[in-house]
Amino acid sequence: STTPVKVAVTGAAGQIGYSLLFRIASGALLGPDTPVELRLLEITPALKALEGVVMELDDCAFPTLAKVEIGDDPNTIFDGANVALLVGARPRTKGMERGDLLEANGAIFTGQGKALNDHAADDIRVTVTGNPANTNALIAKSNAPDIPAERFSALTRLDHNRALAQLAKKTGTSVNDLKKLTIWGNHSATQYPDIFHAEVAGKNAAEVVNDQTWLENDFIPTVQKRGAAIIEARGASSAASAAAATIDHTRDWLRGSADGDWLSMAVVSDGSYGVPEGLISSFPVITKDGNWEIVQGLEINDFSRGRIDASAAELAEERDAVQQLGLIG
Ligand code: NAI
């Protein structure tokens, strides 16, 4: 029998965790033939609730679930991890300033970065879902000098999937007809969903849509503000869709993107498309066997240019703020 792949998940007793763990355990991440060991990290007061979730995992009798470990020490939980899904983060509470939020999350992601550096397996791949995801990934990466920088990523796949759903609706097609959509920049309200290179059933999406007003006043703000709209409607933030996107992102990273298509993934910038080197920014990427590559040579029109630059500027500001806090080198 094959050795189980060790998948660490942080914030495992949270909302996203409650959707994510069952899908990983049932084979949605690694496939139906790969046994998985879940290694679940929580803060001490949430361990009891996590024990309840583990009881439910037991009760599913998933054939692919080999083992579950839980704990509150990242050094133990990340030991031997092949994949780490960093979902747990400190949410913004009333009256909390942006600086406080960055500092609270900084403490979490410096510690987790160091623990990954010291204990994870050599083939570790890290996906950061917890917000502010891009900057949390930057902090973790900066505190894990022995792990190659390209092993750290942040989630913009939910934004990508949201954009696909909106574009399918507008064009009266199915998401299966859509290709080459891109989310650029930060997982925040400055993110830029770009349809200028996208295809609808093989035709250029911007031309098929042919509606600049919809693009500017409907599509882009709808995708950017979808998270807030879900909170408004559901009374809680998106969780099942965030879990699904975390699986999509990590699965496609490990197992490869589809031929003739690309994905949106926030990865360390090499300066492509004018995004300052070193920022963790969303790009169009192609993946294969656990590696990614930024799609090169796309022509960027003026409309897109301004939006890509604005989101990159926000990421640079966040980087400067955490640098000033001493959270990154
Ligand atoms: P939640 O509050 O239900 O769960 C978060 C869990 O993380 C809690 O159980 C908490 O105890 C745990 N946690 C906090 N600090 C921790 C630490 N140091 N180590 C381990 N666990 C820790 O939140 P939910 O809804 O599950 O969301 C998790 C994160 O994902 C949030 O930051 C949220 O903003 C973010 N998110 C990101 C999305 C994206 O597209 N990138 C989409 C939706 C949510």
Side-chain angles (χ1 to χ4, degrees):
S1 69
T2 9
T3 325
V5 174
K6 295 183 179 178
V7 178
V9 180
T10 73
Q15 274 206 99
I16 293 175
Y18 197 66
S19 287
L20 184 60
L21 302 182
F22 296 87
R23 296 207 52 211
I24 299 169
S26 67
L29 180 65
L30 302 165
D33 302 321
T34 307
V36 58
E37 174 178 326
L38 283 173
R39 304 186 63 84
L40 309 178
L41 185 71
E42 259 297 349
I43 53 173
T44 318
L47 285 176
K48 181 152 185 274
L50 185 55
E51 282 171 18
V53 177
V54 175
M55 287 162 73
E56 286 202 73
L57 281 166
D58 287 345
D59 295 349
C60 291
F62 289 122
T64 37
L65 184 58
K67 192 177 173 192
V68 185
E69 288 273 333
I70 72 168
D72 57 7
D73 180 359
N75 294 305
T76 312
I77 291 301
F78 292 159
D79 190 38
N82 307 106
V83 174
L85 308 178
L86 307 185
V87 177
R90 177 70 199 277
R92 192 174 199 148
T93 43
K94 258 209 177 87
M96 202 176 192
E97 298 293 330
R98 208 174 78 112
D100 302 335
L101 182 74
L102 289 174
E103 198 161 8
N105 279 294
I108 296 173
F109 287 87
T110 49
Q112 292 184 0
K114 285 182 185 129
L116 286 166
N117 190 69
D118 296 346
H119 300 285
D122 284 345
D123 67 349
I124 182 71
R125 302 281 184 298
V126 184
T127 300
V128 179
T129 297
N131 278 320
N134 301 54
T135 296
N136 287 341
L138 179 69
I139 295 169
K141 169 181 93 62
S142 306
N143 285 277
D146 302 331
I147 300 176
E150 62 271 15
R151 303 290 189 77
F152 288 85
S153 68
L155 188 75
T156 51
R157 184 61 173 268
L158 178 55
D159 309 298
H160 181 101
N161 289 345
R162 287 166 170 168
L164 287 177
Q166 295 301 317
L167 185 59
K169 208 156 96 178
K170 171 73 175 171
T171 55
T173 59
S174 126
V175 292
N176 301 305
D177 299 320
L178 308 180
K179 286 191 165 63
K180 299 184 178 175
L181 188 128
T182 307
I183 303 293
W184 298 92
N186 199 0
H187 170 70
S188 76
T190 69
Q191 64 168 274
Y192 170 50
D194 176 1
I195 67 165
F196 287 101
H197 303 97
E199 293 171 4
V200 178
K203 297 198 180 77
N204 180 272
E207 284 166 22
V208 171
V209 167
N210 192 27
D211 184 349
Q212 185 69 17
T213 309
W214 175 80
L215 185 65
E216 282 186 52
N217 300 338
D218 195 337
F219 174 72
I220 294 173
T222 297
V223 175
Q224 289 172 333
K225 295 177 192 155
R226 188 69 163 181
I230 304 264
I231 292 174
E232 177 66 29
R234 202 173 86 87
S237 63
S238 36
S241 55
T246 301
I247 299 243
D248 287 351
H249 167 115
T250 311
R251 180 201 59 217
D252 289 349
W253 187 6
L254 297 172
R255 291 155 70 185
S257 48
D259 282 345
D261 199 1
W262 66 59
L263 314 165
S264 302
M265 211 171 143
V267 292
V268 63
S269 176
D270 59 355
S272 290
Y273 298 102
V275 177
E277 204 178 324
L279 294 178
I280 304 267
S281 182
S282 188
F283 288 100
V285 302
I286 286 171
T287 56
K288 200 181 171 208
D289 299 332
N291 300 310
W292 52 262
E293 213 176 279
I294 297 173
V295 175
Q296 294 297 329
L298 300 178
E299 210 174 292
I300 304 299
N301 62 24
D302 289 345
F303 182 84
S304 297
R305 182 78 269 158
R307 284 164 176 79
I308 294 170
D309 290 350
S311 201
E314 183 186 54
L315 283 170
E317 258 175 51
E318 290 184 14
R319 176 202 55 204
D320 293 348
V322 296
Q323 207 151 32
Q324 267 160 29
L325 291 166
L327 302 171
I328 61 175

